[in-house]
Amino acid sequence: MQAPTPNGSEAGEKVVEEVIGTLDRSHKGEAAPAIAFTTPGGAKGSMADFRGKPVLLNLWATWCVPCVKEMPTLDALAVSLGDKAQVVVLSQDLDGAAKVTPFFEKAKFQKLQPYLDSDAAFSLSMAINLPTTILYDSNGKEVWRMLGGMDWTGQTARELVAEAN
């Protein structure tokens, strides 16, 4: 677990950025899984669809409290990144759209879109707990993964995501 990182605000006061996950670089260079999932439009997709641009893949579920807590910060990050990288939030909810659609309707995210993995194939095949966020470079190779939740709006997040550029 990383310690909170102090950052200076515009007013000169100290702001503490919450980093509660653990950064894991042990899978660096591994290819993104070729597991199919459902895109926001209802088609089948995979991580290969995003090649050519860095991707921040977040595995989450509506029943996961830390997952839900970090979703607004992931949305803010997605907005701030613009076209530099794609933020993909891939739900591991077994009930799929029945749970995720109402969650997204209520949340009113600016940029995040609901991707579905109703078989939880990603988290099961990778033997990981939720939330886990994985950064892939533009060639679909893993850079790092964050095990646990994080505030994705802070300087630490920007520096970590910039590693894929």
Side-chain angles (χ1 to χ4, degrees):
M1 184 178 297
Q2 294 178 314
T5 305
N7 293 309
S9 71
E10 290 181 25
E13 60 203 38
K14 291 292 181 184
V15 176
V16 176
E17 178 181 333
E18 185 178 12
V19 180
I20 57 175
T22 301
L23 186 63
D24 177 0
R25 296 181 185 274
S26 66
H27 300 275
K28 185 173 181 146
E30 291 180 12
I35 299 169
F37 52 79
T38 305
T39 68
K44 286 293 178 197
S46 73
M47 292 301 295
D49 297 338
F50 300 102
R51 287 257 165 83
K53 181 184 290 189
V55 175
L56 188 69
L57 173 69
N58 176 263
L59 302 175
W60 73 287
T62 58
W63 48 262
C64 168
V65 173
C67 299
V68 170
K69 181 179 178 184
E70 75 177 349
M71 290 291 278
T73 71
L74 282 162
D75 189 49
L77 175 64
V79 169
S80 73
L81 289 172
D83 291 333
K84 294 179 196 168
Q86 176 76 36
V87 177
V88 175
V89 290
L90 184 59
S91 168
Q92 302 295 285
D93 282 275
L94 299 179
D95 292 328
K99 295 285 185 184
V100 176
T101 300
F103 176 84
F104 266 75
E105 287 171 353
K106 183 177 179 185
K108 298 187 184 339
F109 296 122
Q110 292 181 51
K111 190 143 185 191
L112 296 183
Q113 297 292 314
Y115 290 84
L116 306 173
D117 177 11
S118 300
D119 297 325
F122 263 81
S123 57
L124 292 173
S125 71
M126 299 174 101
I128 55 176
N129 293 320
L130 303 180
T132 292
T133 305
I134 306 168
L135 180 66
Y136 292 102
D137 66 19
S138 58
N139 295 315
K141 302 292 184 185
E142 184 168 330
V143 178
W144 51 255
R145 58 182 69 177
M146 181 64 69
L147 308 173
M150 182 170 168
D151 174 357
W152 293 99
T153 61
Q155 182 64 29
T156 300
R158 285 189 294 278
E159 291 171 2
L160 287 170
V161 172
E163 290 183 26
N165 295 335

